[in-house]
Amino acid sequence: MRAEGLRAHVERRGDAAVVCLSGVLGVDTSPVLRSAVLACLAAEPSVIVLEVAGLRLHDDVALTVLPALARHAAAWPGIAMVLAAVPAPLAAALDRMAVTHSMRAFPTIDAALAMPHDGRGPADRQATVSLPPLLDATAAARHLVARACGRWGFENVRDVAELVVTELVSNVLRHAGTKMDVKATRDHRCLHISVRDRGAGMPHLGGHPADEILSEDGRGLLVVSALTRAWGCIPVPDGKVVWATVGQ
């Protein structure tokens, strides 16, 4: 991923993602960083590490993209985004813009990867199922979410979570008609639900006609928006990931 003056190289380190940045970060090049991070989020890593040893700054204002992306990662899929190998000039700018108040910085990539992740491995923080585009996919998705809520102590939001995943899967059945990957992920406060399909187009709220955003029972993404802390959609090379966060 590249724009003039900024390069972002993404590496997988186990279940973590490392984004090595080099070149100049400015308002005009920040979309390169945003695209790289969103691509990482679609794979739902345990942590995203931004290695910035080769990063130079065009304007302090460009740094506002960092906490914005960190908030997105925290909302879904409930992971930390941290910095590594911060050079002194960049560290001073981060301090001026108060970025380090919301993002941790580590001396090396290895130090960032060694940070604790609430004592949970991938198997204990996520549950997944791949489903064909059949009507009983909604029941299978609800079953996955219900089991996850029971195992992780989210029984108080189980009904909401089941309704949300039903709407997300129903949208795939109605609009994309492709196979899908349903995933539930937890952090210490929230349950994160995502559905990845292989269809074109992006869901949205608003616009006409209304039946483009509503499922046949009249709810759809309006209900998802009303019942969740946040929701969104991330394009991926073979389709999209629609996600939602349900709080305790």
Side-chain angles (χ1 to χ4, degrees):
M1 300 173 186
R2 179 173 183 166
E4 185 63 28
L6 181 64
R7 292 163 296 282
H9 174 68
V10 179
E11 302 176 0
R12 292 291 297 194
R13 300 279 188 98
D15 64 339
V18 177
V19 182
C20 299
L21 298 169
S22 60
V24 179
L25 177 63
V27 174
D28 57 337
T29 60
S30 62
V32 172
L33 172 57
R34 183 177 184 277
S35 295
V37 170
L38 292 183
C40 291
L41 289 179
E44 302 186 32
S46 60
V47 64
I48 295 177
V49 180
L50 302 183
E51 190 272 314
V52 294
L55 188 66
R56 303 186 308 280
L57 193 61
H58 181 266
D59 188 319
D60 283 8
V61 174
L63 291 175
T64 58
V65 70
L66 295 175
L69 289 171
R71 287 191 297 270
H72 190 125
W76 179 84
I79 64 170
M81 192 175 81
V82 301
L83 303 168
V86 183
L90 182 58
L94 291 169
D95 187 59
R96 287 194 299 269
M97 296 297 292
V99 173
T100 49
H101 292 178
S102 58
M103 295 183 68
R104 297 178 66 184
F106 295 85
T108 65
I109 294 174
D110 288 341
L113 294 176
M115 67 178 286
H117 302 295
D118 298 329
R120 300 191 299 267
D124 190 44
R125 69 183 297 269
Q126 66 183 31
T128 63
V129 64
S130 295
L131 300 171
L134 302 175
L135 289 179
D136 61 359
T138 54
R142 285 195 301 271
H143 180 67
L144 173 82
V145 167
R147 290 188 60 190
C149 287
R151 187 164 72 246
W152 298 334
F154 284 87
E155 288 287 0
N156 60 322
V157 297
R158 173 177 169 175
D159 290 345
V160 170
E162 288 190 57
L163 178 55
V164 167
V165 78
T166 296
E167 298 300 346
L168 296 185
V169 170
S170 294
N171 268 348
V172 175
L173 295 177
R174 188 178 185 191
H175 299 294
T178 70
K179 67 180 180 178
M180 67 197 85
D181 301 315
V182 181
K183 182 177 292 187
T185 310
R186 67 159 178 154
D187 60 25
H188 66 288
R189 299 177 300 173
C190 297
L191 182 72
H192 309 278
I193 300 167
S194 66
V195 178
R196 178 171 182 161
D197 66 49
R198 276 72 179 172
M202 301 286 280
H204 58 88
L205 291 176
H208 300 285
D211 64 2
E212 289 184 359
I213 62 169
L214 298 179
S215 59
E216 291 180 350
D217 61 2
R219 296 176 299 186
L221 292 178
L222 293 174
V223 166
V224 172
S225 178
L227 294 179
T228 60
R229 289 191 173 191
W231 78 278
C233 184
I234 296 176
V236 293
D238 62 346
K240 59 185 173 294
V241 178
V242 183
W243 60 269
T245 297
V246 178
Q248 287 272 40

